[in-house]
Amino acid sequence: MKNLLSVIVFVGLVLLALAGSTNAQSVLLTVKNVTKVDAKNLTFEVWAKNNSAVDYGYYTGQFYLNYNKLILNSGTGTLSITASDLGSSFQPSVTSLAGTAANGAGQLVFPANAAPGVGTYYNMAAGSEVMVLRANLVTSVASFARYTPDITVMPGAPAGSTTNLNISVGGADPTLLVPPSDYTTTPTYAYAIDGSNPLLATASSTADGYQVQFTIKNVTQTMPNKLTYEIYIKNTGTAAYKYYTGQYFLYFNKSILNAGTGTLAVLASDLPSANATGSATVSVTGTPGQLRLSSKAGPGLSGGFPIAIGDEKLVARVELTTSAVAFTAEKPNIMPITVGGTGISLSYINAAGTGTTVLAALNATVYTDLSNPVLPVELQNFAATTKARDIELKWKTATEVNVNRFEVERSEANSTARTFKMVTKVNAAGNSNSPKDYAYTDTKLNTGKFSYRLKMIDNDGSFRYSKETESEVMSPKNFEMSQNYPNPFNPSTKIDYSLPVDAVVTLELYNINGQKISTLVNAQQTAGYHVYSLNYNSVSQGLASGMYVYRLSAQGKEQGSKFLSVKKMILLK
């Protein structure tokens, strides 16, 4: 069976996307919802989307994925399928784990099920998406090791050990989706399995026995639209070597640019100029984007930079800037593309001093500190819930560093010109390594849809915005008039009333003897929530201290839509 599909899976909220081609039939595969169920059990899902303009029928499919078996923590791993939208006739078959590579490369194997017979297909309309499988991965020991699962595509050998799908178009006999045009691979982002910093692994040169550890550290926001990160290399071997030059291409979450243009600059390095990196560029053509530090031509064999055993050197402190006012609230997810080849690739002067050698680390696993957020606030969620005419906002932070406050901003989502205005301020915890919960209720809103966002402000005045959340206040179901507030009042008070239908509304004010003092409202009004503000000076000849009666009558066009309510209020001067 031909090698047809490369799947790269990294752990996160969205973990992998395979962008289909422009051919007549193509597929987009996504691994979603990689979740740690408990200390020794994780789940993930594989989804298939008809990424073409024509309908086709899913016939069979097999899925071979690499993963970092070091997460099993020296235990025995077991793999099982717990659910599938395809049903038993089409879902993949018996599952297994394989691989003995010392660098941790293992495989998650989902062979194809027995074919259901030509003419029997699972229909996938153009643009539709289906969950092929939900799988459990369990280790036999007490807990996973603190490594990223680091699931990646199999290399395509031996023949047949890869991912492929058989489909049928128009009821014809099933055929394989053709590589490479029907599949292209676009990896996204990785997180530590338990949300903390993963451990570090080494990448070693088999030629000279040198070992180098790559680390990305200190992802830090310095301004609303600027962040810095640092790339380090450490000699973890048993011999010193001379560093020659290197290329450092990293993935990042390009959504943080907030629709702005990204630029990259190297601020500092421990390496001499001749050995330091070359051009610094940002690429957003793929998903994810790339932060690229290219290599220079090199200083010549006499220009090697010695790195002693155990020494760690700063390759580059890099500044990423967006042309937008500020980054979004998302994580940057800066991580290596690959070690070797088109990702991270460094060369050193060989032991004989006769030439340079590229570090042979194509099969090595590199782990990166990915838990640092873009900004001092790591926002876990932000949600809005409607309760009658109030909207309750709740949000949670995972960590906070020098955070001053949150400003809640609101905009009418269905207005033509959306303008956010601050509705309240909420003090932040300031510094916290544990989750913090916050809440605010926006009360007495009128009918309509409302969008909210958080302006998260640091102690130094820098800020960023969260993603927006939306909720809707529906029209009232009944006529109602509330007690005025405050009551007693001086000098003003408010009267709320609700109309389930458009109606002619009359609001009148009487003294305690039943004499009408003023007609406050006499108009046709739309369905919804209304408020009238009364100031005793606004009434003709003013109002003296005492008790008053206010009377609301409403008459809708529909039969029976009539309402009358009378309440008392007190003015105290």
Side-chain angles (χ1 to χ4, degrees), residues 313-385:
K313 300 296 182 181
L314 173 67
V315 173
R317 179 179 298 114
V318 187
E319 182 177 70
L320 172 64
T321 303
T322 178
S323 61
V325 175
F327 289 116
T328 66
E330 300 170 80
K331 287 194 172 198
N333 301 327
I334 299 171
M335 59 173 290
I337 297 176
T338 57
V339 181
T342 59
I344 294 179
S345 177
L346 67 83
S347 60
Y348 57 92
I349 297 175
N350 62 30
T354 58
T356 61
T357 303
V358 175
L359 186 71
L362 288 173
N363 293 321
T365 304
V366 173
Y367 301 95
T368 306
D369 178 355
L370 295 178
S371 66
N372 291 339
V374 175
L375 283 168
V377 180
E378 184 181 348
L379 189 65
Q380 283 191 332
N381 58 59
F382 177 44
T385 305

Side-chain angles (χ1 to χ4, degrees), residues 213-391:
Q213 176 179 282
F214 303 88
T215 319
I216 300 169
K217 299 182 180 181
N218 303 323
V219 182
T220 307
Q221 190 199 16
T222 57
M223 294 180 65
N225 68 331
K226 293 180 182 290
L227 67 84
T228 60
Y229 62 93
E230 297 173 346
I231 302 172
Y232 284 84
I233 56 174
K234 183 177 181 179
N235 184 347
T236 54
T238 58
Y241 67 92
K242 292 184 178 180
Y243 179 94
Y244 190 65
T245 187
Q247 163 187 290
Y248 301 86
F249 284 11
L250 307 176
Y251 283 135
F252 84 110
N253 176 11
K254 66 181 182 181
S255 297
I256 67 170
L257 297 179
N258 204 9
T261 300
T263 55
L264 214 57
V266 176
L267 304 181
S269 175
D270 289 342
L271 304 177
S273 176
N275 304 96
T277 55
S279 61
T281 58
V282 177
S283 173
V284 294
T285 55
T287 302
Q290 293 186 19
L291 306 174
R292 296 176 172 177
L293 299 183
S294 300
S295 60
K296 288 183 177 178
L301 295 179
S302 62
F305 179 68
I307 300 181
I309 300 170
D311 276 2
E312 186 173 43
K313 300 296 182 181
L314 173 67
V315 173
R317 179 179 298 114
V318 187
E319 182 177 70
L320 172 64
T321 303
T322 178
S323 61
V325 175
F327 289 116
T328 66
E330 300 170 80
K331 287 194 172 198
N333 301 327
I334 299 171
M335 59 173 290
I337 297 176
T338 57
V339 181
T342 59
I344 294 179
S345 177
L346 67 83
S347 60
Y348 57 92
I349 297 175
N350 62 30
T354 58
T356 61
T357 303
V358 175
L359 186 71
L362 288 173
N363 293 321
T365 304
V366 173
Y367 301 95
T368 306
D369 178 355
L370 295 178
S371 66
N372 291 339
V374 175
L375 283 168
V377 180
E378 184 181 348
L379 189 65
Q380 283 191 332
N381 58 59
F382 177 44
T385 305
T386 301
K387 296 182 178 180
R389 62 180 300 190
D390 300 339
I391 294 180

